[in-house]
């Protein structure tokens, strides 16, 4: 074990204290807070994939303006329940939709040309607020400074606009994206559409809640510790973290100048339907030569793919074991592959003892990660000399107004981790390389690894403060720099979504997405949250 057992037991003791403090509060909140009902779906356009919407728009079966109006209406009626919206650009989006309709009506381009050059023409797009959309908030959930407006589009957003997509909303994220719970003092807390007492996850929780509740069809998200996958799992949709480097990460708040940043951090995509992810990712890529090389628009038959899986991470002494219902879901997937395709998925036992330490220490050790206690950040806040201890005292005394507790705790944690010896950090990097090579040798160019996205389904708000070590299930693939997709594979006995991750070696994103398509076909994919009534009429 790379990290001494004494350290892990000390952390376990701290987690028990946190559990004792936080668990009763969250249980009281869950029992005293009633579930809010979402309004029913009334427009069947909201049930179509982005790919199908694009086809209908360019073939003049439906107008982009009609589609945008349907999504704007939906977003407006569900936001009071879920609280995902930071800012909208509805007026500009409708103008762009009318421009798309005018282009199509003009006949200046054939349907084939429109499909080739503008594959997402007229399709609504939502974007995580931490990713810049020109003229929109790009403040990463901060209240100090209270406002930061993007002067230009992030490269991914620019590419999607060039493909014809129309951004219409930016969505909620935790402060500085430093939590797996989407909450901040600026916008508030985002709720899970399957149970509003529960979290949609983070940091891309606003996107996941919006897309899952049929308020958007595709979205742009980011991921440094599972942010594209945990919310996707908790909200029952698909989320993909791509191979690092294939999609630009410019235009994200926060960012870092550390040379390792681009290896751990990615910008990716979310969708309700698996068929939209390959198209979305292809359109997000600046290097079209690389996009062609990755063959994202070609699905690999599952019979050509080798499958390996694990049901849990050990478990280690600081992580929870995977819940039986998630294990059963994994076994159903393994059995399906065998019965339907004659594929014998191989159960493996890869040591994950140090996965949490690898993720926590290597990522926190990176230089220039924005912190609420950095001089640069403090200067922007006009509060030089901020004391971490004082901010923690304020928080627990309900006096803090500048920060949520997550970035405060991260800043304190980073100060401690920065004191770890260089020899210890070097040993962790060696472990990272060893683990990466283990996957490279196992999976090769035709294998995928199935793994739980999280050991349990969406928990009640704020329980992540003592469940956060379970993020190692997710951060494992940031550390190993692998592409990975969360796939919806059913619901548990309470009707809450269950997801599993499908990971592959670098530049094999196509394998993850091919398996996602297969699992959606086999297990039904996205399920309307139980508080919905069935769709009734078209507008």
């Amino acid at each position: 074990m790379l990290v001494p057992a004494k350290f892990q037991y000390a952390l376990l003791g701290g987690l028990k204290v946190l559990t004792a403090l936080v668990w009763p509060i969250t249980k009281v909140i869950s029992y005293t807070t009633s579930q809010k009902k979402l309004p029913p779906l009334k427009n069947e356009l909201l049930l179509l994939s982005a790919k199908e919407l694009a086809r209908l728009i360019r073939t003049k079966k439906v107008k982009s303006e009609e589609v945008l109006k349907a999504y704007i209406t939906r977003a407006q009626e569900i936001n009071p329940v879920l609280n995902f919206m930071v800012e909208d650009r509805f007026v500009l989006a409708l103008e762009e939709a009318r421009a798309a309709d005018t282009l199509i009506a003009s006949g200046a381009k054939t349907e084939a040309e429109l499909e080739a050059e503008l594959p997402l023409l007229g399709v609504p797009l939502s974007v995580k607020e931490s990713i810049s959309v020109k003229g929109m908030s790009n403040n990463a959930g901060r209240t100090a400074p209270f406002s930061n407006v993007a002067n230009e589009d992030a490269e991914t957003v620019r590419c999607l606009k060039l493909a014809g997509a129309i951004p219409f909303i930016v969505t909620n994220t935790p402060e500085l994206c430093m939590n797996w719970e989407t909450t901040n003092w600026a916008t508030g807390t985002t709720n899970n559409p399957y149970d509003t007492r529960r979290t949609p996850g983070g940091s891309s929780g606003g996107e996941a809640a919006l897309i899952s509740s049929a308020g958007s069809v595709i979205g742009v998200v980011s991921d440094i510790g599972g942010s594209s996958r945990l919310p996707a799992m908790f909200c029952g949709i698909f989320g993909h973290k791509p191979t690092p480097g294939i999609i630009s990460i410019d235009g994200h708040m926060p960012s870092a100048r550390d040379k390792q940043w681009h290896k751990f951090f990615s910008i990716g995509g979310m969708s309700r339907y698996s068929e939209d992810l390959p198209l979305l990712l292809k359109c997000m890529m600046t290097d079209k030569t690389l996009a062609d090389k990755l063959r994202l628009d070609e699905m690999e038959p599952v019979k050509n793919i080798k499958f390996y899986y694990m049901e849990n991470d050990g478990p280690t002494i600081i992580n929870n074991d995977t819940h039986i219902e998630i294990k059963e879901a994994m076994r159903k997937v393994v059995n399906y592959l065998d019965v339907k395709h004659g594929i014998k998925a191989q159960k493996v036992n890869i040591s994950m003892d140090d996965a949490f330490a690898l993720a926590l220490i290597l990522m926190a050790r990176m230089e220039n990660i924005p912190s609420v206690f950095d001089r640069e950040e403090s200067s922007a806040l006009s509060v030089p000399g901020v004391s971490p201890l004082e901010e923690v005292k304020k928080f627990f005394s309900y006096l803090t107004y500048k920060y949520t507790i997550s970035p405060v705790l991260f800043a304190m944690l980073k100060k401690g981790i920065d004191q770890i010896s260089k020899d210890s950090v070097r040993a962790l990097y060696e472990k990272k390389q060893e683990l990466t090579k283990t996957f490279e040798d196992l999976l090769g160019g035709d294998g995928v690894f199935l793994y739980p996205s999280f050991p349990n389904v969406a928990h009640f708000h704020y329980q992540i403060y003592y469940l956060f070590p379970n993020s190692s299930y997710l951060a494992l693939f940031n550390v190993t720099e692998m592409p990975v997709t969360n796939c919806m594979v059913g619901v548990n006995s309470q009707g809450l979504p269950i997801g599993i991750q499908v990971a592959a070696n670098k530049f094999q994103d196509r394998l993850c997405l091919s398996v996602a398509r297969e699992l959606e076909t086999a297990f039904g994919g996205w399920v309307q949250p139980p508080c919905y009534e069935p769709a009734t009429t078209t507008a």
Side-chain angles (χ1 to χ4, degrees):
M1 184 180 292
L2 193 61
V3 179
K6 184 177 178 180
F7 171 83
Q8 295 209 38
Y9 280 113
L11 182 56
L12 180 63
L15 290 172
K16 286 185 176 180
V17 172
L18 275 173
T19 303
L21 290 172
V22 178
W23 184 85
I25 297 172
T26 62
K27 294 304 286 185
V28 168
I29 292 173
S30 69
Y31 284 124
T32 57
T33 305
S34 59
Q35 288 194 53
K36 299 177 183 178
K37 297 293 184 180
L38 289 169
L41 276 168
K42 298 176 183 177
N43 192 322
E44 290 180 351
L45 287 174
L46 302 175
L47 297 174
L48 300 178
S49 69
K51 193 172 182 179
E52 178 64 9
L53 285 171
R55 186 189 68 80
L56 292 174
I57 290 169
R58 66 173 167 264
T59 57
K60 305 177 186 177
K61 301 292 193 308
V62 66
K63 289 190 174 183
S64 173
E65 183 179 6
E66 181 183 356
V67 174
L68 259 294
K69 284 182 176 178
Y71 272 102
I72 288 170
T73 298
R74 182 64 179 166
Q76 288 174 322
E77 66 186 10
I78 61 177
N79 187 61
V81 178
L82 300 178
N83 192 39
F84 50 76
M85 187 187 305
V86 177
E87 190 173 8
D88 72 75
R89 63 186 303 272
F90 295 159
V91 174
L92 287 173
L94 285 171
E95 289 178 2
E96 291 164 8
R98 286 189 283 268
D101 291 332
T102 299
L103 172 63
I104 294 167
S106 72
K109 294 182 182 293
T110 66
E111 289 178 13
E113 288 172 332
L114 289 172
E115 183 177 9
E117 299 171 20
L118 298 162
L120 288 173
L121 183 60
V123 175
L125 172 74
S126 51
V127 181
K128 184 178 180 179
E129 188 258 356
S130 59
I131 300 167
S132 60
V133 177
K134 185 176 181 180
M136 293 289 101
S137 175
N138 182 218
N139 208 29
R142 298 178 297 175
T143 56
F146 186 76
S147 175
N148 181 55
V149 176
N151 294 320
E152 58 185 7
D153 293 322
E155 182 65 13
T156 48
V157 174
R158 185 188 71 82
C159 289
L160 287 166
K161 282 184 174 181
L162 289 175
I166 302 175
F168 75 110
I169 194 170
V170 293
T171 56
N172 203 24
T173 177
E175 186 175 6
L176 289 171
C177 298
M178 290 181 179
N179 203 343
W180 294 272
E181 166 88 48
T182 298
T183 186
N184 57 61
W185 293 138
T187 303
T189 300
T190 301
N191 299 319
N192 190 306
Y194 288 84
D195 182 343
T196 54
R197 301 170 302 170
R198 298 176 186 266
T199 179
S203 60
S204 306
E207 275 298 304
L210 172 64
I211 293 171
S212 175
S213 53
S216 179
V217 62
I218 50 174
V220 186
V221 296
S222 58
D223 190 316
I224 194 170
S227 297
S228 68
R229 291 161 283 144
L230 184 68
M233 177 200 170
F234 281 5
C235 294
I237 57 175
F238 295 87
H240 183 74
K241 181 194 84 69
T243 298
I246 70 171
I247 291 175
S248 171
I249 59 174
D250 292 344
H252 190 271
M253 160 63 74
S255 185
R257 295 184 292 275
D258 192 281
K259 62 183 180 180
Q260 299 294 328
W261 176 256
H262 72 282
K263 296 180 179 180
F264 294 141
F265 178 79
S266 299
I267 287 181
M270 271 185 192
S271 64
R272 226 175 313 138
Y273 305 104
S274 66
E275 72 171 0
D276 288 335
L277 279 179
L279 177 60
L280 176 63
L281 294 169
K282 185 177 180 181
C283 291
M284 290 167 71
M285 296 176 67
T286 306
D287 187 344
K288 300 308 179 186
T289 302
L290 180 57
D292 292 338
K293 181 180 178 180
L294 292 177
R295 296 156 55 202
L296 292 176
D297 51 357
E298 298 177 27
M299 292 296 97
E300 186 72 31
V302 291
K303 66 180 181 179
N304 297 340
I305 301 175
K306 296 175 183 175
F307 288 81
Y308 305 88
Y309 74 100
M310 286 175 59
E311 294 178 350
N312 56 40
D313 68 353
T316 67
I317 62 174
I318 60 172
N319 288 359
N320 297 107
D321 191 11
T322 309
H323 192 277
I324 184 60
E325 289 183 305
I326 293 180
K327 290 181 179 179
E328 288 173 351
M330 180 72 78
R331 292 165 190 168
K332 286 179 182 178
V333 170
V334 170
N335 183 65
Y336 166 79
L337 292 170
D338 184 10
V339 173
K340 178 70 174 179
H341 297 286
I343 297 171
K344 301 293 184 182
Q346 181 181 339
K347 191 172 185 178
V348 295
N349 185 24
I350 300 171
S351 174
M352 303 293 187
D353 285 347
D354 298 308
F356 178 68
L358 280 172
L360 178 66
I361 296 173
L362 295 186
M363 292 183 191
R365 283 277 300 194
M366 288 189 291
E367 298 176 358
N368 304 121
I369 296 177
S371 165
V372 295
F373 306 121
D374 288 343
R375 286 188 178 184
E376 181 179 338
E377 184 75 6
S378 294
S379 176
L381 300 172
S382 300
V383 285
V386 172
S387 164
L389 184 58
E390 285 302 312
E391 286 301 318
V392 171
K393 287 179 180 178
K394 287 179 182 180
F395 179 84
F396 285 106
S397 302
Y398 300 96
L399 296 175
T400 185
Y401 61 93
K402 295 185 179 72
Y403 317 108
T404 50
I405 193 64
S406 300
V408 174
L409 293 177
F410 173 80
M412 297 177 68
L413 183 65
K414 179 168 175 55
K415 284 181 179 292
I417 288 176
D418 284 343
Q419 305 307 310
I420 295 175
S421 71
K422 290 182 179 180
D423 287 342
S424 296
V425 174
R426 188 179 301 112
L428 284 170
Y429 270 109
E430 290 173 358
K431 177 66 177 180
K432 161 187 156 60
Q433 293 170 354
E434 176 187 325
L435 186 58
T436 302
K437 190 173 189 307
T438 296
F439 279 113
E440 288 175 347
D441 293 344
L442 177 70
L443 302 181
D446 60 356
V448 297
F449 178 61
L450 309 181
Y451 195 54
S453 297
F454 204 71
N456 213 327
V457 294
H459 44 259
F460 291 112
H461 283 300
Y462 313 121
Q463 290 182 342
I464 193 62
Y465 291 112
Y466 58 83
L467 294 173
F468 73 90
N470 294 320
S471 63
S472 62
Y473 282 83
L474 302 148
L476 163 69
F477 300 113
N478 296 85
V479 169
T480 54
E481 303 174 42
M482 298 166 67
V484 55
T485 308
N486 174 78
C487 301
M488 169 69 166
V489 292
V491 295
N492 74 348
S493 56
Q494 297 172 285
L496 298 171
I498 294 175
I500 65 169
Q501 296 178 95
V502 180
N505 276 331
K506 293 178 185 178
F507 305 109
Q508 301 298 331
D509 300 62
R510 183 170 59 94
L511 298 182
C512 304
L513 302 174
S514 298
V515 175
R517 182 81 62 90
E518 182 70 24
L519 296 183
E520 181 181 35
T521 300
F523 297 97
W526 172 73
V527 176
Q528 290 187 37
C531 48
Y532 279 81
E533 296 174 16
T536 54
T537 61
T538 57

